[in-house]
Amino acid sequence: MTETTAPENTPQTTIVFLLFPGITQLDFTAPAQALSRMPGAVLAGVAASRAPIATDSGFSIVPTHDFADCPQADILCVPGGHGVAAALGDAATIAFIERQATGAQWVTSVCTGAFLLGRAGLLQGRRATTHWAYAHLLPLVGAEAVDARVVEDGRVVTSGGVTSGLDFALTLIGRLRGPTVAQAIQLAIEYDPAPPFAGGHPNRAPQAVTAGLKARVYDAAAAHMEAALRA
């Protein structure tokens, strides 16, 4: 279903999402929800096999394609998650990204998916963003870290942590189908953030909250990611 009437000559746009064990489901499902409503959009969720992919939320996602039968992407999107560190060492996954990126109009990532783009050589010399807790690692893949929710550098679009995937999707819809279509989709999914706490980024969160979260989760997670990137 789309929120606007598509002209008869609206081109089909194939949007391929890479799936892998340990994916953060919202990195995938948030932009997928917005992009699926874009006129002409055809989505594919692709993994090494069609076996269910375990997410970080306690449920699994069933891919629509595997690497062998995946259509060529017009938009390639690589989500993130704690499973990225393992995926960095998987030659078939990196080769798939390289192969798809060659023919894609747009190459994109959400959260730590940026490091998979980087491992495939797609961020060398480019400006990029990722989840705030890992941004200091972007130079390890040749990228210049930018503190922003969405960063466009040529045909490469990277977005920050988790919920930034919606911002990236709406930005790209605006590029492809115009701002009126993007605004209609934003309205349809009622994306009108009014969070109960003004603390979704370290620039605004209480220092104690940021320090506690880093100590409990992200110091170790970033060190694990750094080790995988240097391997």
Side-chain angles (χ1 to χ4, degrees), residues 68-90:
D69 68 4
C70 177
Q72 172 59 52
D74 297 306
I75 301 171
L76 174 64
C77 183
V78 180
H82 289 300
V84 165
L88 284 167
D90 185 78

Side-chain angles (χ1 to χ4, degrees), residues 7-187:
E8 291 184 2
N9 61 348
T10 297
Q12 177 176 302
T13 301
T14 300
I15 305 164
V16 171
F17 285 88
L18 175 66
L19 305 177
F20 51 86
I23 190 175
T24 293
Q25 62 85 17
L26 197 60
D27 285 9
F28 162 52
T29 56
Q33 182 61 245
L35 286 164
S36 71
R37 296 173 182 239
M38 182 179 75
V42 177
L43 270 62
V46 184
S49 76
R50 295 199 185 196
I53 295 293
T55 73
D56 64 356
S57 299
F59 60 82
S60 295
I61 295 172
V62 179
T64 60
H65 298 77
D66 59 31
F67 290 168
D69 68 4
C70 177
Q72 172 59 52
D74 297 306
I75 301 171
L76 174 64
C77 183
V78 180
H82 289 300
V84 165
L88 284 167
D90 185 78
T93 295
I94 303 305
F96 173 79
I97 295 171
E98 293 172 342
R99 187 165 62 250
Q100 283 285 325
T102 298
Q105 178 185 0
W106 296 91
V107 177
T108 71
S109 66
V110 180
C111 197
T112 53
F115 295 109
L116 291 170
L117 294 186
R119 178 55 59 87
L122 297 165
L123 295 186
Q124 189 68 42
R126 294 186 184 272
R127 300 164 67 252
T129 190
T130 188
H131 189 286
W132 59 263
Y134 302 87
H136 63 288
L137 300 176
L138 282 170
L140 293 179
V141 292
E144 175 191 347
V146 178
D147 184 9
R149 284 179 71 82
V150 180
V151 173
E152 298 179 64
D153 190 326
R155 70 186 184 110
V156 177
V157 184
T158 53
S159 56
V162 193
T163 60
S164 301
L166 268 177
D167 299 61
F168 131 69
L170 291 166
T171 297
L172 197 54
I173 292 167
R175 294 280 180 271
L176 294 172
R177 300 292 187 265
T180 300
V181 173
Q183 289 170 28
I185 292 171
Q186 180 175 343
L187 177 60

